[in-house]
Amino acid sequence: MQQPSNEGGAGESAAQRPAESGPGQPVDQQPGQSVAGPPEPPAPAWQRRTRGEHRWPEAIIVAVAIGLQLTLPDAMAPGQRHLLAALEGVLLVGLVVANPYRLDRESMVLRTGGLLLTGLIGLSNGWSAVLLVAELVLGRPISPADLLTAGGAVWVTNVIAFALIYWELDRGGPAARAAALRDYPDFLFAQMQSPELADPDWEPTFVDYLYLSFTNSTAFSPTDVLPLSRWAKMIMMVQSGVALVVVVLVVARAVNVLA
């Protein structure tokens, strides 16, 4: 007696049947074949090698700092301010000539020159701040024009000097940041915390460090940029202290003079 055949044919083997689709397997996917997912987004620019930032913002702001040092009254200016300004100008010109466009070259000479230029600007302005505080504390006669000129020049140059310090030291400097040589930042910007809110090509440049320095000198505390390393915290503390002393003494003396 002949047995009834199954639906689809009794002689059809399991290997010859079409693969059934299920919840975990696409209809057109063959067994053992993987399906490529969506491409991963690129890493943020501050975590990978980039072209490097432009030289001109830093060069312009350094020229402004040199000009402010030359406008200080004689009583609040370093004894050799013209020599210091000349050295700063020579270093600035040398750095611009050696690397005029993008800061992407790792060079010991360029690195040393940048640190030396930053140190000279900070030293000159610190000297002027000490002289200004001495004039105000000792109560020596000072005209309102000289007071406002000296106080404003010292405060603005203080912002520039510390912006240069942050810019030169964060993750080894601009060239090291362009090469992504260090994984851990010294300053945590908002774009680093929320990369989905920033352009993938965003990375901190000199303007960002200038903003950091300005807010630290006005609010006397971090705002939206957090210092992570200990040296960053200490330098920000020094900057806030200098800015606070200059502002308080200048304002107090200005009120007294105007009264």
Side-chain angles (χ1 to χ4, degrees), residues 127-154:
W127 194 345
S128 298
V130 171
L131 294 176
L132 175 62
V133 170
E135 291 287 327
L136 297 176
V137 171
L138 296 176
R140 295 171 182 169
I142 182 173
S143 67
D146 287 346
L147 175 62
L148 294 177
T149 299
V154 169

Side-chain angles (χ1 to χ4, degrees), residues 29-54:
Q29 179 182 355
Q30 298 298 325
Q33 180 180 2
S34 62
V35 176
E40 296 184 358
W46 65 274
Q47 291 182 326
R48 53 182 165 85
R49 178 180 289 274
T50 60
R51 296 179 61 193
E53 60 182 289
H54 292 284

Side-chain angles (χ1 to χ4, degrees), residues 51-246:
R51 296 179 61 193
E53 60 182 289
H54 292 284
R55 163 74 72 181
W56 64 266
E58 176 258 352
I60 291 176
I61 210 69
V62 168
V64 171
I66 295 174
L68 289 173
Q69 292 173 355
L70 294 176
T71 62
L72 286 170
D74 292 336
M76 274 74 75
Q80 303 295 331
R81 63 169 165 176
H82 291 92
L83 177 60
L84 287 173
L87 290 175
E88 293 164 2
V90 169
L91 284 172
L92 176 60
V93 172
L95 290 172
V96 171
V97 171
N99 193 5
Y101 301 114
R102 292 197 176 265
L103 304 175
D104 55 357
R105 289 171 48 194
E106 278 288 320
S107 169
M108 182 61 68
V109 175
L110 293 175
R111 179 71 173 152
T112 303
L115 292 175
L116 184 57
L117 176 59
T118 300
L120 286 176
I121 293 176
L123 174 64
S124 178
N125 192 66
W127 194 345
S128 298
V130 171
L131 294 176
L132 175 62
V133 170
E135 291 287 327
L136 297 176
V137 171
L138 296 176
R140 295 171 182 169
I142 182 173
S143 67
D146 287 346
L147 175 62
L148 294 177
T149 299
V154 169
W155 189 88
V156 173
T157 309
N158 186 63
V159 171
I160 295 173
F162 280 92
L164 290 168
I165 293 174
Y166 303 146
W167 180 71
E168 284 284 1
L169 297 183
D170 184 26
R171 287 196 296 148
R177 289 193 297 271
L181 296 181
R182 300 186 183 182
D183 296 329
Y184 300 105
D186 298 293
F187 293 99
L188 183 64
F189 291 85
Q191 291 87 341
M192 297 177 177
Q193 302 178 69
S194 303
E196 69 278 2
L197 302 179
D199 190 281
D201 293 330
W202 182 91
E203 59 181 330
T205 61
F206 180 76
V207 175
D208 298 287
Y209 296 99
L210 183 62
Y211 167 79
L212 164 64
S213 182
F214 178 82
T215 55
N216 193 47
S217 291
T218 52
F220 309 116
S221 64
T223 53
D224 61 341
V225 183
L226 300 178
L228 300 182
S229 60
R230 293 185 178 91
W231 73 258
K233 296 176 181 179
M234 293 297 102
I235 293 180
M236 288 187 71
M237 184 175 66
V238 172
Q239 181 190 12
S240 296
V242 173
L244 180 62
V245 170
V246 171

